Amino acid sequence: MAKTLKLLAAALVALLAAGCGQAATDTPVATAGNDGSWPRTITHAVGETTIPEKPLRIVSTSPSITGTLLAVDAPVVGTASALVTALTDEKGFFTQWAGVADERGVEVVYPNLEVDLDAIDAFAPDLIIGSISGGDAVANEYEQLSDIAPTILLNYAEPSWRELTRTIAGITGTEENAEQVFADYEAFVDEKAQEIHLPEQPVSALAYLGADGGWVFDPDSQQADLLASIGFDYVGVSDRYTTQSNNGVSVVTPENLPAALEQARTLFLVPTGGPAPTGEFTANPLLGNLPAVTGERVFSLGGQSFRLDYYSARATIEHLVEQFS
């Protein structure tokens, strides 16, 4: 359990640290070629990059972005792979998009997020897309990557998955595909919302850290937005119970958790590297009188709910339907 909590804490620290201090203007936008023409000049987190032609061979150095590239059917030929955990397949592909990547022949460029410039060069990419945030950040290698191919680095921690999808589409010339993704997703949500019998409301979601307290997702987080989209009434925590808030997450100490979560009648725990620790949470004597605990309404939000993209958002909703249909 201690090892699990350490991994959980590390993942959450990465989530909060990613994108701290980044202004809204850091969100990349296509500043030329929006009419479908090329070249396109992209202003992004570390500079400005011109893409001369519509890319045909994209390498992703960020597994957290690869799913969005696949969702808009961008021509990804290779991706860095993550550490193998319960959230990935044996190659380090996140499970929500691993099957799609395999169908399209996407290869591992390098494993375990250990940047390998020679391996990237061997794929002969005409565009490299990477991250400045999280464990897959490659900001330090930006100049070397740019020597291989036009390189764009994004901060995936700040925007919603929809905003990131729109940004990726503008970079790769797949705008029509992105609009279809949004339309398909909204139709999917509308359909699934009819199948859910809501538990007692309102609800909150958090990543539980045991003796270190919890990190509660704010009402403006992607997780809260997903829950609200299918009918849940989401409630956040009061500022007086938090020690830090950033990127849609509020840090709550162990002694403040009972008061912070008292309004929620149903709670969702967000896993970050393994099963949600619902047993540990409900067994904590400090939390034993919470309405959600006494009413046996503490649930996992699903193994793919921590970092959302098109695929993981759909999987999370499917998980909720299975629990509450």
Side-chain angles (χ1 to χ4, degrees):
M1 178 61 186
K3 182 178 180 182
T4 300
L5 289 175
K6 286 180 180 179
L7 290 172
L8 175 60
L12 289 169
V13 167
L15 175 67
L16 273 189
C20 288
Q22 297 295 323
T25 53
D26 283 343
T27 300
V29 292
T31 55
N34 288 330
D35 59 354
S37 65
W38 300 85
R40 295 188 179 189
T41 298
I42 308 298
T43 302
H44 57 102
V46 295
E48 189 173 270
T49 297
T50 297
I51 308 172
E53 298 177 320
K54 186 172 182 177
L56 299 176
R57 293 185 60 81
I58 298 174
V59 163
S60 170
T61 63
S62 171
S64 293
I65 293 176
T66 301
T68 302
L69 287 162
L70 291 169
V72 297
D73 202 15
V76 185
V77 294
T79 179
S81 64
L83 295 170
V84 175
T85 69
L87 302 182
T88 73
D89 68 5
E90 69 282 356
K91 299 188 298 295
F93 287 2
F94 288 123
T95 54
Q96 65 262 28
W97 50 258
V100 178
D102 290 342
E103 289 174 5
R104 297 183 189 173
V106 178
E107 298 182 43
V108 175
V109 179
Y110 53 83
N112 301 324
L113 304 180
E114 297 175 354
V115 181
D116 186 333
L117 296 169
D118 289 336
I120 295 171
D121 193 24
F123 274 78
D126 52 16
L127 177 64
I128 299 168
I129 294 182
S131 170
I132 64 162
S133 53
D136 49 8
V138 291
N140 292 337
E141 292 81 18
Y142 174 67
E143 296 298 333
Q144 294 164 291
L145 291 168
S146 297
D147 287 340
I148 298 172
T151 299
I152 294 171
L153 301 189
L154 310 178
N155 175 14
Y156 60 73
E158 277 195 343
S160 69
W161 71 262
R162 292 178 182 83
E163 292 169 327
L164 183 62
T165 300
R166 190 167 282 112
T167 293
I168 291 291
I171 293 168
T172 60
T174 55
E175 293 89 344
E176 290 186 4
N177 294 350
E179 292 308 314
Q180 188 61 53
V181 164
F182 299 144
D184 290 347
Y185 180 77
E186 294 305 324
F188 171 79
V189 170
D190 289 344
E191 175 188 348
K192 295 303 179 181
Q194 306 305 313
E195 301 177 19
I196 288 181
H197 298 282
L198 297 176
E200 191 168 342
Q201 304 293 300
V203 306
S204 292
L206 73 152
Y208 179 56
L209 293 174
D212 293 320
W215 293 35
V216 183
F217 289 86
D218 296 333
D220 62 352
S221 67
Q222 295 196 65
Q223 287 74 12
D225 178 70
L226 182 147
L227 287 163
S229 74
I230 52 175
F232 288 87
D233 178 17
Y234 194 89
V235 60
V237 300
S238 171
D239 290 343
R240 66 179 180 270
Y241 299 127
T242 67
T243 60
Q244 181 184 0
S245 183
N246 192 47
N247 286 330
V249 178
S250 290
V251 181
V252 182
T253 59
E255 60 271 18
N256 282 336
L257 266 184
L261 299 174
E262 189 174 16
Q263 292 185 70
R265 292 302 183 262
T266 298
L267 288 170
F268 291 100
L269 302 188
V270 177
T272 63
T278 53
E280 290 81 2
F281 183 91
T282 56
N284 186 334
L286 289 176
L287 307 174
N289 291 325
L290 284 174
V293 175
T294 60
E296 299 183 349
R297 294 185 300 273
V298 179
F299 305 96
S300 169
L301 194 55
Q304 297 173 346
S305 60
F306 178 61
R307 180 164 289 137
L308 295 175
D309 59 17
Y310 168 71
Y311 297 110
S312 56
R314 286 182 62 107
T316 299
I317 289 177
E318 290 279 14
H319 173 78
L320 289 167
V321 171
E322 289 175 5
Q323 289 189 101
F324 300 111
S325 62

